[in-house]
Amino acid sequence: MQGFVGFMWLLSMALILFSGFALIDAAIRREDAYRAADKQSKAFWLIILGLAFVVNLIFNILSFLPIIGLIATIVYMVDVRPAIKGLPGGGRSRRGSSSDGPYGPYNGGR
């Protein structure tokens, strides 16, 4: 019985880490990348993944709610994340220099 409890604890920790990673990944992506990939908004995914993370922290893995959170996390990781990463720049927010134009950095005609 102790082995089963240990396995369930490891499974619960893996689920928390998985949903936490998805939440952080969704937070670092640009808002316009979600629209460009024709997915739900960034706020939508942050709310869904945040709820999944909190549910995984609070409830036992054998409950019904963590399974719903796992499904939402898998949908983000399998569908939304690859679509956003496939965009130019990978969908990550970046800080451009003041000389960056709409087509890249301006090099003074060189």
Side-chain angles (χ1 to χ4, degrees):
M1 192 63 164
Q2 192 175 16
F4 179 73
V5 171
F7 174 73
M8 293 308 286
W9 182 82
L10 284 175
L11 194 59
S12 178
M13 288 298 113
L15 193 56
I16 290 170
L17 289 174
F18 184 55
S19 62
F21 173 77
L23 178 63
I24 291 170
D25 185 73
I28 64 171
R29 304 293 173 182
R30 294 189 331 245
E31 170 67 35
D32 60 337
Y34 290 88
R35 284 180 277 145
D38 199 25
K39 302 297 176 184
Q40 293 288 334
S41 69
K42 180 177 182 175
F44 173 83
W45 282 108
L46 288 176
I47 290 169
I48 295 295
L49 295 172
L51 286 172
F53 182 73
V54 170
V55 163
N56 289 329
L57 283 175
I58 294 174
F59 291 100
N60 185 1
I61 193 155
L62 296 176
S63 300
F64 186 70
L65 290 176
I67 294 172
I68 294 173
L70 175 64
I71 291 170
T73 305
I74 290 172
V75 167
Y76 175 80
M77 294 297 286
V78 172
D79 182 39
V80 178
R81 185 173 187 252
I84 292 173
K85 282 184 75 172
L87 296 173
R92 290 194 176 207
S93 60
R94 67 178 177 96
R95 307 274 185 222
S97 94
S98 61
S99 65
D100 282 356
Y103 306 107
Y106 177 71
N107 61 8
R110 292 180 228 155

